[in-house]
Amino acid sequence: MDLSYTDAQQRFRAEARTWLSANVPHAPLPSFDTREGFEAHRAWERKLNAGGWAMVSWPREYGGRGANLLEWLVFEEEYYRAGAPKRVNQNGLFLLGPTIMEYGTPEQRARFLPKIASSDEVWCQGWSEPNAGSDMAAIQATAIRDGDRYVINGQKTWASRGAFAHWTFGMFRTDPASERHRGLTFVLVPLDAKGVTVRPIAQLDGETGFAEIFFDDVSVPVANRLGDEGKGWNVAMATAGFERGLMLRSPARFQHTAARLVGLYRENEATCDPALRDEVVACWMDAEAYALETYRTVSRLLGGGKIGAEASLNKIFWSELDLRMHETALRILGDRADLLAEAPSATGTDDWLDGWLFSLSGPIYAGTNEIQRNVIAERILGLPRS
Amino acid sequence: MDLSYTDAQQRFRAEARTWLSANVPHAPLPSFDTREGFEAHRAWERKLNAGGWAMVSWPREYGGRGANLLEWLVFEEEYYRAGAPKRVNQNGLFLLGPTIMEYGTPEQRARFLPKIASSDEVWCQGWSEPNAGSDMAAIQATAIRDGDRYVINGQKTWASRGAFAHWTFGMFRTDPASERHRGLTFVLVPLDAKGVTVRPIAQLDGETGFAEIFFDDVSVPVANRLGDEGKGWNVAMATAGFERGLMLRSPARFQHTAARLVGLYRENEATCDPALRDEVVACWMDAEAYALETYRTVSRLLGGGKIGAEASLNKIFWSELDLRMHETALRILGDRADLLAEAPSATGTDDWLDGWLFSLSGPIYAGTNEIQRNVIAERILGLPRS
Amino acid sequence: MRFGFTEDQLLFQSTLRDFLAKECPPATIRALWESETGHDAALWTKLSALGVPGLLVPEAHDGLGRDEIDLALLLEEAGRAALCGPIVSTAAIGAPLLAEIPAPALRERWLPRVASGEARIAVGLPGLRFVSDAGDATLLLLPHADEVHALAPDAVQLVREPASDPARRIFTVSFTASSATRVAAGEDARRALATAFDRAALAAAAQAIGVADRLVDMTCAYARERRQFDVPIGSFQAVKHMLAGVSVRLEYARPAVHRAAWSVARGLAARSTHVSHAKLAATAAARLAARVALQVHGAIGYTWEQDLHLWLRRAWSLDLDAGGEGHHRARVANAVLADGARVGPGETFAGEA
Amino acid sequence: MRFGFTEDQLLFQSTLRDFLAKECPPATIRALWESETGHDAALWTKLSALGVPGLLVPEAHDGLGRDEIDLALLLEEAGRAALCGPIVSTAAIGAPLLAEIPAPALRERWLPRVASGEARIAVGLPGLRFVSDAGDATLLLLPHADEVHALAPDAVQLVREPASDPARRIFTVSFTASSATRVAAGEDARRALATAFDRAALAAAAQAIGVADRLVDMTCAYARERRQFDVPIGSFQAVKHMLAGVSVRLEYARPAVHRAAWSVARGLAARSTHVSHAKLAATAAARLAARVALQVHGAIGYTWEQDLHLWLRRAWSLDLDAGGEGHHRARVANAVLADGARVGPGETFAGEA
């Protein structure tokens, strides 16, 4: 056990802090679920990539700086501390990227990773279908082999950033006679291909955060397949592990929210419900616990360990924490909790309302928390399947 | 809507209050899960019965005073307000009694009800078996017809008060070829019958609160059957309705605990965790809500309504409330929470510890709360069976 | 002692339910959201024909002369339909406040017009930052120090405060108080405003019950229909138990609201405690219902096009109206923990005599 | 930066686990419950042979000279075995307190005897009402004003306070303080007692982790075996999700305890905050585990003869040891809400440098 940073790690932190403090936009960017905000966020990503900070843990050849996971955690801490923008290409950077690193051919890595790092190509995920939500193995969209191409038909839905993204990745049934998780293949599809129709869907907050994607005889080369034909489930499970596990939700994100919550409470302490003091402190402890557990996991991974079903513990913990922090913030704000940003009395309410609406989706996306509890019970605790 | 008592109800309350104040023992009786305490509680029941207060809602011919359910609620309020002893024969009074009233023959009513009212015969329930807990339809104990008698074999368990009781009631399989809830019959068995062995079981609190009962060719007359042969499930369900529903846990019980909790908090307010204030108030509100809902139910029943699956709502509500009140009390007591009564520093801790240990069994007995949630979902909300 | 409604009251409730199901479907609510004022004149005219605005207006002033028990039933139905606006601000708060303050000329002038549906009243309440539905009111009753002032719309400055729940039309209101605008002062004003606050909190509680009912109904219906893993998701114990948990909290909030309505109607001393209990229990049940409803619906419930959020937003924003959790919890605590408070068995209805 | 244990530490832990599984089965715990002193000389001798009592005793005094990180692992195993007594009072609290106070003669005399298993130390802590394991101690270290006093058993008056957890041997202790009994004063005493308090709270937290682990293991084993409705009850989602919920809280309490151990071992400024976080998280996880364990076991878990309650009682009573929830929550709150508190990303390990 050694919970102090090395000098090299300290220098890395200092370098990141310096760069971010010089480059992070002073004013918040518009929401990346608008066209304008989407492009503003891409511009930021390009700047980040130019500085070599888009994905510090990737090899230099793909736009990274070959940092290890601990340094990645340090970078994330500095990123959130600096109040830097949300990552518009998070599906590409944190989910697809690691999957291509593991399952992609050298050609695929060279083709896709640098453009993910630069956000020249922004990705959305194309996993869910109207009848395949929690039950992802019920996928019906097909990709039928025709020579050196796949012809894709069907529908995907709940594709975050789908309204503006350039590419989607997802599972398609390559063996139409197959059932459940067999016969599925992981395919990368450009959204400007002929036969693709994207229908934006408005979310609770009124923004078009996600989209339906319709495929009508969309033809893509076999080279767009990631992993083996019929092995899409394994590839997707690795991706889902990244999502629920380490990358998508780094502790810094929640520690930043917890610190803001502490600040909000201190500003409103004189007037808000005194019971909220304990809630704020409980939230801070949980954010801290999430960081501690992540450092423990990273130490284990650096020692050669693998991430497994315990990613389901993470998913539940951070999603419940995020919801609880935002609920506590709204309770602190009291009757101003649901004021929109343009309301004259909304000064000091920051973006807690938007954050709360988003936090409500946490227990749903990336595999509902009910599915995660099944995974924990069956794969960690060894309880029998139903 | 009229939430004021009639003059007659007020007089009834005054009469009960006067009698109780003159007769309730000044010192608490020893625990009824000891032989000494059991007999002391029986003596109290005899006194109560002599005053005509054992079961006010029963007809006068069986020892009651023909009161209606509203008056029964009023009596319960006065009973708890007076700090009167626990009801050692509650299984007879609140569960079996109403069942005999509904399913018994005139002879059975005349034979059993007065001795229940007087506690000359104290009853325990004989429903659970080692392999039939939540799954009560898995009952294996048999009662095989032999002329005008049943010959009983098998085992029952978790019979509260079983160590000292005189009789047990339960379901037995009269058709050995039957499965699940068919072929079961409701039979009353004297525990001094030949072939009955009672093994007391020590509980968490160290007292022998319940017992296993073994039946080895125990012979009882057919007249001991309640309801029709093979219809025991229906009879038992009615009994379970009484248990979970109105009778076993009258609101006064929890309002009494809530009022004591308020007092305990006020005594310790200066030193205990300030967060407990909200907990105490929340408990008080829930106890009040339980009373309000019970008055609503009783009003409905007096208007000709029936109690149905909503008894499962009651069971969950009171058992969770009871647990929460006792947990709050222990948190108020802090480091003295688990002192036994004989500890020198236990002054002012009353019997909160014992009450808490008992409250832990609330979500388990009378049908686990998980079973109740299934009932609510399927029978009230109309969700499909699994 | 009878804890229940009369046949007449239940008929009134079911009539309203049927009416709102027909006249106020989700499309109407969405149109109200989009509208400038949040008020639909055609719907209001029809509600007026049923007597809704004048429910609490004395019969002498052309109202129905009913009490807060009927009001609670009305507002449960409003919650079930996700309808707010003048049905709350005018019928539940404005009209009875007007009827209570000792200003006969004002009453004579305005109450018949409320009953006819012609006038809508917005009420400012002491301690509350915002005034609901002020943008479309024909009369505003506003607190100032310990007085009540009556103002015409052109005599006040309104600033709209857009909220996440588009049904919540709230305003910051400023005005110049004068002896000409004062309609009640001193103890009269204090008492009237305190009752108005309790009525507002009761109104939020009653709506919350209707909202929670509707959320449970919608979610159970969805759970019966929606299939995953080849079975309806409602057959999963996780879904069943979440919904059963909502039912438990809801069914024990409901009688608290009905009792509070009785206590306000009778002006009982414990009225404020009962109202605060009702508001806490009902809005907590509605919030829990919203949480579970969204979780069971999953992503589909997170869309603007699905109607679920009409009720989600109500469940969330009712909590913010008429005093928050902390305020109401403190009111109950102060009553329950006071010296000599009567809190044990037998005390529940002891104050009714 | 490495958040994990050395091979050596993990070996130490697994050795202890195997040892306790063999030497300290439930029958032994029950015998300790029944015993006069709650202390088993034979078991203590064997633990002494492993170096347990002297884990934190400097090597110069015949101890193992390890730190609180090893201690946390030891106490997790003690919790897993439901063992307390001198393994906590002497090894975790008494010995390091003795090693810290500036009383060389006392150290010289007692520390080797602690290491050999000959002496057992009971410690009184400031602000705590009771002293654990005082009945069988050979030396008592007791606070008085801002001083530490060392007393022989015959110089104190002990009153046993029987508790629901028979493993919790607590006493009210009184004694006459004099300059002859004083072994530390002023800042030395304050600092030593504050650290001793933190070590006691850390000890409770570490035990709670072991207790919760064991409760989860026992309950999962039972849920795999026990059949109702023709299937193992562990196949019901209600049971699965309750146990998964325990796992979530437990797995995020565990690293908080390990970090607190590191902070105490290094004497970090934020030590008390870390210890309080650890104690709150670990005892909450253990309490939740106890709740779910009992519910899943049903009536069988409610019996004295089933071993489950050996761990239930520990889960409940560890919460009461070394400062309750309110105390520890206030310590964290005071640190986190202080002016200039550094609470954001990047601050978690900022104090280690």
Side-chain angles (χ1 to χ4, degrees):
Chain A
M1 183 92 69
D2 177 3
L3 303 186
S4 54
Y5 297 103
T6 62
D7 289 346
Q9 287 161 345
Q10 299 276 35
R11 279 194 303 276
F12 178 83
R13 182 189 295 279
E15 190 186 351
R17 189 174 298 186
T18 303
W19 189 90
L20 287 163
S21 114
N23 289 282
V24 165
H26 295 299
L29 305 182
S31 162
F32 62 17
D33 288 327
T34 62
R35 165 61 71 188
E36 177 202 4
F38 181 82
E39 294 304 340
H41 279 78
R42 278 181 79 203
W44 160 249
E45 288 289 338
R46 273 192 294 272
K47 191 181 211 179
L48 203 57
N49 188 49
W53 298 103
M55 201 63 199
V56 296
S57 60
W58 285 8
R60 290 184 185 279
E61 57 190 302
Y62 303 130
R65 54 175 67 205
N68 69 17
L69 282 174
L70 256 167
E71 289 158 329
W72 174 74
L73 283 179
V74 168
F75 173 73
E76 288 282 299
E77 287 166 359
E78 293 305 317
Y79 191 87
Y80 280 97
R81 180 190 179 110
K86 290 198 217 168
R87 307 299 299 267
V88 67
N89 203 8
Q90 58 183 15
N91 287 331
L93 290 163
F94 302 140
L95 306 186
L96 182 63
T99 315
I100 291 181
M101 215 80 79
E102 187 169 342
Y103 288 95
T105 62
E107 294 71 26
Q108 287 175 323
R109 291 184 207 163
R111 159 68 187 83
F112 291 110
L113 294 176
K115 285 183 193 295
I116 291 175
S118 65
S119 284
D120 282 340
E121 292 173 349
V122 175
W123 290 77
C124 65
Q125 58 186 48
W127 283 354
S128 296
E129 298 183 2
N131 292 314
S134 282
D135 183 12
M136 202 160 74
I139 279 174
Q140 293 172 311
T142 53
I144 304 301
R145 182 74 172 260
D146 178 15
D148 61 351
R149 301 189 73 87
Y150 288 110
V151 178
I152 298 179
N153 280 283
Q155 179 186 355
K156 297 287 181 182
T157 192
W158 317 131
S160 293
R161 246 76 59 221
F164 309 115
H166 310 97
W167 282 76
T168 190
F169 57 89
M171 273 191 289
F172 298 87
R173 203 163 284 285
T174 37
D175 175 1
S178 66
E179 289 193 343
R180 310 292 303 157
H181 56 276
R182 282 172 293 273
L184 296 169
T185 299
F186 200 108
V187 184
L188 314 177
V189 187
L191 291 175
D192 60 1
K194 184 163 171 294
V196 171
T197 308
V198 173
R199 188 181 80 88
I201 304 176
Q203 297 182 151
L204 274 192
D205 60 5
E207 289 178 354
T208 53
F210 39 41
E212 286 179 302
I213 307 174
F214 299 89
F215 303 87
D216 181 12
D217 284 337
V218 176
S219 171
V220 299
V222 166
N224 283 19
R225 186 185 71 211
L226 198 59
D228 293 338
E229 185 166 298
K231 297 293 182 198
W233 187 262
N234 301 354
V235 182
M237 286 301 102
T239 312
F242 294 126
E243 178 171 17
R244 288 196 304 265
L246 210 53
M247 290 242 134
L248 190 65
R249 295 294 176 253
S250 81
R253 177 188 179 115
F254 305 105
Q255 292 183 294
H256 181 60
T257 306
R260 289 176 55 230
L261 182 64
V262 165
L264 185 74
Y265 175 75
R266 284 171 52 97
E267 280 164 29
N268 293 277
E269 187 166 9
T271 51
C272 75
D273 183 353
L276 295 170
R277 182 182 179 93
D278 282 352
E279 271 299 293
V280 168
V281 172
C283 288
W284 179 83
M285 286 191 285
D286 274 1
E288 196 74 353
Y290 187 61
L292 296 171
E293 172 60 13
T294 305
Y295 271 85
R296 195 192 67 79
T297 301
V298 163
S299 297
R300 196 167 58 75
L301 295 178
L302 291 177
K306 284 264 173 204
I307 224 170
E310 68 274 17
S312 293
L313 295 163
N314 293 17
K315 164 73 208 295
I316 291 173
F317 194 81
W318 66 247
S319 60
E320 290 182 348
L321 168 60
D322 202 37
L323 192 51
R324 186 178 183 186
M325 288 194 292
H326 284 91
E327 277 175 351
T328 304
L330 294 198
R331 289 174 65 196
I332 292 172
L333 291 173
D335 58 355
R336 296 187 303 143
D338 85 334
L339 293 185
L340 298 181
E342 66 260 35
S345 294
T347 48
T349 62
D350 300 331
D351 56 353
W352 285 108
L353 174 68
D354 284 342
W356 175 67
L357 286 171
F358 183 71
S359 75
L360 284 168
S361 69
I364 297 170
Y365 70 82
T368 65
N369 285 10
E370 286 68 39
I371 294 290
Q372 309 306 336
R373 289 192 190 92
N374 287 347
V375 171
I376 293 167
E378 292 168 11
R379 292 179 50 199
I380 298 179
L381 300 178
L383 296 177
R385 291 179 173 274
S386 305
Chain B
M1 183 91 70
D2 176 3
L3 303 186
S4 54
Y5 297 103
T6 62
D7 289 346
Q9 286 160 346
Q10 299 278 34
R11 280 194 304 275
F12 178 83
R13 182 188 294 280
E15 189 187 350
R17 188 175 298 186
T18 303
W19 188 90
L20 287 162
S21 116
N23 288 282
V24 165
H26 295 299
L29 305 184
S31 162
F32 63 17
D33 288 328
T34 62
R35 166 61 70 186
E36 177 202 4
F38 181 81
E39 294 304 340
H41 279 78
R42 278 182 81 202
W44 160 248
E45 289 289 338
R46 272 192 293 272
K47 191 181 211 178
L48 201 57
N49 189 48
W53 297 104
M55 201 62 199
V56 296
S57 59
W58 286 8
R60 290 185 185 278
E61 56 189 303
Y62 304 131
R65 53 175 67 206
N68 69 19
L69 280 174
L70 255 167
E71 290 158 328
W72 173 75
L73 283 178
V74 168
F75 173 74
E76 287 281 300
E77 288 165 1
E78 293 305 316
Y79 191 87
Y80 280 97
R81 180 191 179 108
K86 291 198 216 168
R87 307 299 299 268
V88 67
N89 203 8
Q90 59 183 14
N91 286 332
L93 289 164
F94 302 140
L95 306 186
L96 182 62
T99 315
I100 290 181
M101 215 80 79
E102 187 170 343
Y103 288 94
T105 61
E107 294 72 27
Q108 287 174 324
R109 291 184 208 162
R111 159 68 187 83
F112 290 110
L113 293 175
K115 286 183 192 295
I116 290 175
S118 65
S119 284
D120 283 339
E121 292 172 350
V122 175
W123 289 76
C124 65
Q125 57 184 50
W127 283 354
S128 296
E129 298 184 1
N131 292 314
S134 282
D135 183 12
M136 202 160 75
I139 280 175
Q140 293 172 312
T142 53
I144 304 301
R145 183 74 172 260
D146 179 16
D148 60 352
R149 302 190 72 84
Y150 289 110
V151 179
I152 298 178
N153 281 283
Q155 179 187 355
K156 296 288 180 180
T157 191
W158 318 131
S160 293
R161 247 75 61 220
F164 310 115
H166 310 97
W167 282 76
T168 189
F169 56 89
M171 274 191 290
F172 298 86
R173 204 163 283 285
T174 36
D175 175 0
S178 65
E179 289 193 343
R180 308 295 301 159
H181 56 277
R182 283 172 292 274
L184 296 169
T185 299
F186 199 107
V187 184
L188 314 176
V189 187
L191 291 175
D192 60 359
K194 184 163 171 292
V196 170
T197 308
V198 173
R199 188 181 81 88
I201 304 176
Q203 297 181 151
L204 273 193
D205 60 4
E207 289 179 354
T208 53
F210 39 42
E212 286 179 302
I213 308 174
F214 299 89
F215 303 87
D216 181 12
D217 283 338
V218 176
S219 171
V220 300
V222 165
N224 284 19
R225 185 185 73 211
L226 199 58
D228 292 337
E229 186 166 297
K231 297 291 182 198
W233 186 263
N234 301 353
V235 182
M237 286 300 102
T239 312
F242 295 126
E243 178 170 18
R244 289 196 303 266
L246 210 52
M247 290 243 135
L248 190 65
R249 295 292 176 255
S250 81
R253 178 187 178 117
F254 305 105
Q255 292 182 293
H256 182 60
T257 305
R260 289 176 55 230
L261 181 63
V262 165
L264 185 74
Y265 175 75
R266 283 170 52 97
E267 280 165 30
N268 293 277
E269 188 165 7
T271 52
C272 76
D273 182 353
L276 296 171
R277 181 182 178 92
D278 282 352
E279 271 299 292
V280 168
V281 172
C283 288
W284 179 83
M285 286 191 284
D286 274 0
E288 196 75 351
Y290 187 61
L292 296 170
E293 172 60 14
T294 306
Y295 271 84
R296 195 192 67 78
T297 301
V298 163
S299 296
R300 197 167 56 76
L301 295 179
L302 291 177
K306 285 263 174 204
I307 224 171
E310 68 274 18
S312 293
L313 295 163
N314 293 16
K315 165 71 209 297
I316 290 173
F317 194 80
W318 65 247
S319 61
E320 290 183 348
L321 168 61
D322 202 36
L323 192 52
R324 185 178 182 187
M325 289 194 291
H326 284 91
E327 278 175 350
T328 304
L330 295 199
R331 289 175 64 196
I332 292 172
L333 292 172
D335 58 356
R336 297 186 304 144
D338 84 334
L339 293 184
L340 298 181
E342 66 260 34
S345 294
T347 49
T349 62
D350 299 330
D351 56 353
W352 286 108
L353 174 68
D354 284 342
W356 176 68
L357 286 171
F358 183 70
S359 75
L360 285 167
S361 68
I364 297 171
Y365 70 83
T368 64
N369 285 11
E370 286 68 41
I371 294 290
Q372 309 306 338
R373 289 192 191 93
N374 287 348
V375 171
I376 294 166
E378 292 169 11
R379 293 179 49 200
I380 299 180
L381 301 177
L383 295 177
R385 289 179 175 275
S386 304
Chain C
M1 171 64 68
R2 199 174 73 88
F3 200 123
F5 300 101
T6 61
E7 292 285 318
D8 184 39
Q9 287 167 327
L10 295 172
L11 178 64
F12 171 69
Q13 182 175 27
S14 69
T15 304
L16 281 164
R17 187 180 303 189
D18 295 345
F19 172 85
L20 290 171
K22 181 161 170 286
E23 300 290 342
C24 191
T28 302
I29 298 296
R30 287 177 183 267
L32 284 169
W33 283 6
E34 301 298 322
S35 71
E36 178 64 25
T37 62
H39 163 64
D40 176 332
L43 179 62
W44 193 241
T45 302
K46 290 179 194 163
L47 283 165
S48 305
L50 288 177
V52 163
L55 185 74
L56 300 195
V57 171
E59 288 175 279
H61 294 299
D62 307 337
L64 295 185
R66 310 291 283 262
D67 67 15
E68 283 80 357
I69 298 169
D70 306 272
L71 178 68
L73 297 177
L74 166 68
L75 293 176
E76 279 181 31
E77 295 314 312
R80 198 183 311 278
L83 177 66
C84 59
I87 201 168
V88 180
S89 52
T90 299
I93 310 170
L97 173 58
L98 195 54
E100 238 169 71
I101 51 181
L106 200 70
R107 279 208 299 265
E108 299 282 343
R109 179 170 173 215
W110 285 102
L111 284 178
R113 296 167 69 183
V114 165
S116 71
E118 191 187 337
R120 290 175 303 284
I121 307 175
V123 176
L125 290 167
L128 300 189
R129 190 190 312 257
F130 304 120
V131 178
S132 295
D133 304 312
D136 194 51
T138 37
L139 175 70
L140 295 99
L141 296 175
L142 301 167
H144 174 78
D146 262 348
E147 304 166 347
V148 183
H149 292 255
L151 290 115
D154 58 6
V156 298
Q157 290 77 51
L158 299 183
V159 179
R160 172 84 192 274
E161 303 274 2
S164 171
D165 178 6
R168 191 173 180 236
R169 299 274 171 158
I170 53 175
F171 297 82
T172 303
V173 179
S174 48
F175 68 102
T176 305
S178 71
S179 58
T181 60
R182 184 174 59 228
V183 292
E187 189 49 32
D188 285 338
R190 267 193 299 276
R191 193 184 312 118
L193 287 171
T195 310
F197 180 90
D198 281 339
R199 241 180 245 113
L202 172 65
Q207 289 175 81
I209 294 293
V211 166
D213 269 339
R214 181 69 173 256
L215 284 167
V216 169
D217 286 350
M218 290 178 79
T219 306
C220 288
Y222 183 76
R224 282 188 290 265
E225 287 301 313
R226 169 74 174 167
R227 297 176 69 88
Q228 288 282 271
F229 303 101
D230 294 328
V231 293
I233 62 170
S235 66
F236 290 110
Q237 231 177 11
V239 171
K240 286 182 180 179
H241 287 199
M242 280 194 281
L243 281 161
V246 177
S247 280
V248 171
R249 295 316 302 182
L250 175 55
E251 294 314 319
Y252 285 86
R254 198 188 301 276
V257 174
H258 296 159
R259 193 267 296 264
W262 158 268
S263 300
V264 175
R266 298 300 161 112
L268 298 184
R271 182 194 73 206
S272 296
T273 305
H274 296 170
V275 165
S276 287
H277 172 191
K279 176 143 200 280
L280 289 164
T283 57
R287 282 203 314 274
L288 179 65
R291 181 80 199 79
V292 167
L294 182 55
Q295 187 67 18
V296 171
H297 277 79
I300 190 85
Y302 201 78
T303 63
W304 190 271
E305 53 201 65
Q306 224 274 357
D307 287 328
L308 184 70
H309 70 125
L310 274 60
W311 288 271
L312 296 179
R313 290 178 200 279
R314 297 267 65 215
W316 297 327
S317 76
L318 284 168
D319 189 37
L320 310 178
D321 282 345
E325 252 187 297
H327 177 76
H328 288 287
R329 217 142 9 94
R331 293 213 308 180
V332 180
N334 291 338
V336 168
L337 300 174
D339 287 337
R342 295 173 62 179
V343 290
E347 301 294 347
T348 307
F349 304 111
E352 336 289 294
Chain D
M1 172 64 68
R2 199 173 74 88
F3 199 123
F5 300 101
T6 62
E7 292 285 318
D8 185 38
Q9 287 167 327
L10 295 173
L11 179 64
F12 171 68
Q13 182 175 28
S14 70
T15 304
L16 281 165
R17 187 180 303 189
D18 296 344
F19 172 84
L20 290 171
K22 181 160 170 286
E23 301 290 342
C24 191
T28 303
I29 298 295
R30 287 177 184 268
L32 284 169
W33 282 6
E34 302 297 323
S35 72
E36 179 63 26
T37 61
H39 163 63
D40 176 333
L43 179 63
W44 192 242
T45 302
K46 289 179 194 163
L47 283 165
S48 304
L50 287 177
V52 164
L55 186 74
L56 299 196
V57 171
E59 288 175 280
H61 293 300
D62 308 337
L64 295 184
R66 311 293 283 260
D67 67 16
E68 282 81 357
I69 298 168
D70 305 273
L71 178 68
L73 297 177
L74 166 69
L75 293 176
E76 278 181 31
E77 296 313 313
R80 198 184 310 278
L83 178 66
C84 59
I87 202 168
V88 180
S89 52
T90 299
I93 309 170
L97 173 59
L98 195 54
E100 237 168 73
I101 51 180
L106 200 71
R107 280 209 298 266
E108 300 282 345
R109 177 164 175 221
W110 285 102
L111 284 178
R113 295 167 70 182
V114 165
S116 71
E118 190 187 339
R120 289 174 304 284
I121 306 175
V123 176
L125 291 168
L128 300 190
R129 191 191 310 259
F130 304 119
V131 179
S132 295
D133 304 312
D136 194 50
T138 36
L139 175 70
L140 295 100
L141 297 175
L142 299 168
H144 175 77
D146 262 349
E147 303 166 347
V148 183
H149 291 255
L151 290 116
D154 58 5
V156 299
Q157 290 78 51
L158 299 183
V159 179
R160 173 83 191 275
E161 303 274 2
S164 170
D165 178 5
R168 191 172 180 237
R169 299 274 171 159
I170 52 175
F171 297 81
T172 303
V173 178
S174 48
F175 68 101
T176 305
S178 71
S179 59
T181 59
R182 185 175 59 226
V183 293
E187 189 49 32
D188 285 338
R190 268 193 300 276
R191 194 185 312 118
L193 287 170
T195 311
F197 181 89
D198 281 340
R199 239 180 246 115
L202 172 65
Q207 290 175 81
I209 294 292
V211 166
D213 269 340
R214 181 70 173 255
L215 284 167
V216 170
D217 286 350
M218 290 179 79
T219 305
C220 288
Y222 183 76
R224 284 188 288 266
E225 288 299 312
R226 168 75 173 166
R227 296 175 71 87
Q228 287 283 271
F229 303 101
D230 294 328
V231 294
I233 61 170
S235 66
F236 289 109
Q237 232 177 12
V239 171
K240 286 182 179 178
H241 288 200
M242 280 195 281
L243 281 160
V246 177
S247 280
V248 171
R249 296 316 302 180
L250 175 55
E251 294 314 319
Y252 285 86
R254 198 187 302 277
V257 174
H258 296 160
R259 194 266 294 264
W262 157 269
S263 300
V264 175
R266 298 301 161 112
L268 298 184
R271 180 195 73 205
S272 296
T273 306
H274 297 170
V275 165
S276 287
H277 172 193
K279 173 137 202 282
L280 288 164
T283 57
R287 282 202 313 274
L288 179 65
R291 181 81 198 77
V292 167
L294 182 54
Q295 188 66 18
V296 171
H297 276 79
I300 190 84
Y302 201 77
T303 63
W304 190 271
E305 54 201 63
Q306 225 274 357
D307 287 329
L308 184 70
H309 70 124
L310 274 60
W311 288 272
L312 295 180
R313 289 178 201 279
R314 297 267 65 215
W316 297 327
S317 76
L318 284 168
D319 189 36
L320 310 178
D321 283 345
E325 253 187 295
H327 178 77
H328 287 287
R329 214 135 19 88
R331 292 214 309 181
V332 180
N334 291 339
V336 168
L337 300 174
D339 287 337
R342 295 173 61 180
V343 291
E347 300 295 346
T348 306
F349 303 110
E352 336 289 294

